[in-house]
Amino acid sequence: MIANNGRLKIAIQKSGRLTEDSLSLLRACGLEFEFQKQSLYSPCRNFDLDVLALRDDDIPEYVQDAVADLGIVGENIVREKGARVETISVLGFGECRLSISVPQRSSIRSVKQLNRKRIATSYPTTLKQYLRSQGLKAEVIELSGAVELAPTLDVADAICDIVSTGTTARVNGLRPLTTVLTSEAVLVANRATLRNPKKKQLIDRLLIRISGSLQAHGKRYMMMNAPATAVPRLKKIIPSLKSPTVVPLADEGMVALHSVIPEDVFWDVMEKLKKAGASDIVVVPIEAIIR
Ligand code: ATP
Ligand code: ZN
């Protein structure tokens, strides 16, 4: 039994695709805790928060029923469970799609042709909503796993399953027909918790840290020195939305430039800046950007 001690309880996936990114996000927010997937419950040392490790499917309902105040879970699961929870942040990981595919050799070429066909899925609620919205009548066959095998076993004519964005479901000889839902990991909250002033204050502190950390994601801070005359040239090379900060140095005619840049280009950019007259170029990671 977990004491109702006024501390926030956040549920994350115990072991699976969302676990590592969920832990990284909480740690990037400065939260210190030991996480063992065997133990249900990990208290945080430096924040009034406890981490609960659960199956992802259970998270929406546990948050709805206030077993946990917060949860990190895929939108796909929140939607399928129809949980009455508040989504308070999208988290930029766990991207995937729920899509309908048919066997490569199937005669089904369009969504309309799914009418009166059998579709296997572990997302019956979401699929039925979709079929209704399309005015289609199809038989929904609910399976809890290995959905992709259903056509081969002649249990279904099509499947509705989760795939990663960008990849196609060709692996099992399937041809994608349409996307029912796109999803990523979200932070959900219990509605009553959001009305509790003490807990709301903790959630707001956490949200500022989460957004600060998400803002910093994929970015580096770059500093360099250069002759003032080189600045127009350097500005053209620096790939930043905002123009760089330029500060005069004690050295006559020299300036320092500071800028936030995308991390995937910093080596290329550094080489070009050096050629264009910059020196003492320093690139450092960013922990957070609070606007
Ligand atoms: P659990 O044991 O917690 O029930 P699971 O096997 O149901 O785990 P995972 O496969 O770990 O769940 O997926 C967790 C979530 O990761 C999915 O609900 C979805 O939001 C997201 N996800 C991202 N990419 C994929 C993918 N390619 N396949 C399945 N899920 C994905
Ligand atoms: Zn699951």
Side-chain angles (χ1 to χ4, degrees):
M1 182 63 194
I2 296 158
N4 191 2
N5 48 14
R7 289 164 69 84
L8 272 185
K9 290 187 283 292
I10 183 166
I12 67 170
Q13 191 185 20
K14 178 168 57 179
S15 168
R17 292 175 201 262
L18 301 181
T19 307
E20 210 181 292
D21 286 331
S22 303
L23 288 170
S24 303
L25 178 66
L26 297 179
R27 300 228 154 94
C29 290
L31 307 185
E32 290 173 9
F33 55 94
E34 307 318 324
F35 182 79
Q36 272 137 3
K37 59 181 179 200
Q38 309 89 292
S39 71
L40 168 66
Y41 172 79
S42 314
C44 184
R45 280 191 289 277
N46 59 351
F47 204 91
D48 282 338
L49 174 142
D50 299 317
V51 180
L52 303 185
L54 299 172
R55 282 204 56 197
D56 69 341
D57 313 65
D58 297 334
I59 291 176
E61 207 161 64
Y62 277 163
V63 172
Q64 173 189 297
D65 299 344
V67 175
D69 301 295
L70 299 174
I72 296 178
V73 64
E75 282 176 298
N76 52 319
I77 304 284
V78 178
R79 172 85 183 268
E80 176 64 23
K81 301 288 173 186
R84 289 180 299 279
V85 295
E86 223 51 65
T87 297
I88 56 175
S89 182
V90 291
L91 302 175
F93 60 85
E95 281 122 335
C96 58
R97 291 180 292 134
L98 183 64
S99 71
I100 300 180
S101 337
V102 293
Q104 212 58 268
R105 279 186 288 278
S106 168
S107 61
I108 302 173
R109 298 264 148 204
S110 70
V111 171
K112 282 205 173 64
Q113 292 173 318
L114 290 169
N115 211 22
R116 314 226 167 263
K117 296 290 195 301
R118 301 163 302 166
I119 311 175
T121 189
S122 26
Y123 289 82
T125 304
T126 311
L127 175 59
K128 282 176 192 163
Q129 282 169 1
Y130 173 79
L131 292 170
R132 216 174 302 128
S133 78
Q134 298 294 311
L136 291 170
K137 287 207 161 54
E139 187 188 345
V140 174
I141 296 164
E142 190 174 343
L143 299 177
S144 57
V147 172
E148 69 283 359
L149 300 179
T152 315
L153 301 172
D154 197 25
V155 177
D157 307 297
I159 67 162
C160 174
D161 203 5
I162 294 285
V163 292
S164 300
T165 43
T167 63
T168 42
R170 293 234 168 73
V171 238
N172 287 293
L174 295 166
R175 168 159 52 81
L177 210 57
T178 189
T179 296
V180 172
L181 178 83
T182 57
S183 170
E184 66 183 284
V186 289
L187 180 67
V188 293
N190 173 273
R191 291 185 175 161
T193 297
L194 293 173
R195 293 192 298 269
N196 171 328
K198 187 170 171 251
K199 286 194 166 174
K200 180 65 171 46
Q201 204 179 13
L202 287 170
I203 291 174
D204 287 342
R205 284 176 61 204
L206 196 60
L207 278 176
I208 289 174
R209 295 183 185 199
I210 287 174
S211 105
S213 154
L214 292 178
Q215 287 284 341
H217 191 78
K219 299 191 182 109
R220 296 287 170 97
Y221 199 73
M222 184 177 242
M223 297 167 271
M224 74 210 79
N225 296 340
T229 52
V231 170
R233 251 181 307 160
L234 297 175
K235 275 190 179 172
K236 281 195 196 125
I237 299 168
I238 297 173
S240 115
L241 292 177
K242 278 208 263 170
S243 74
T245 309
V246 183
V247 230
L249 294 176
D251 230 352
E252 189 78 29
M254 289 295 285
V255 295
L257 283 93
H258 290 204
S259 183
V260 173
I261 66 160
E263 71 181 355
D264 51 346
V265 298
F266 83 80
W267 285 112
D268 286 342
V269 171
M270 259 169 102
E271 287 165 10
K272 288 188 188 137
L273 291 170
K274 179 122 181 53
K275 281 201 189 111
S279 58
D280 303 310
I281 308 170
V282 176
V283 180
V284 291
I286 305 175
E287 300 302 329
I289 300 175
I290 314 281
R291 295 196 199 275

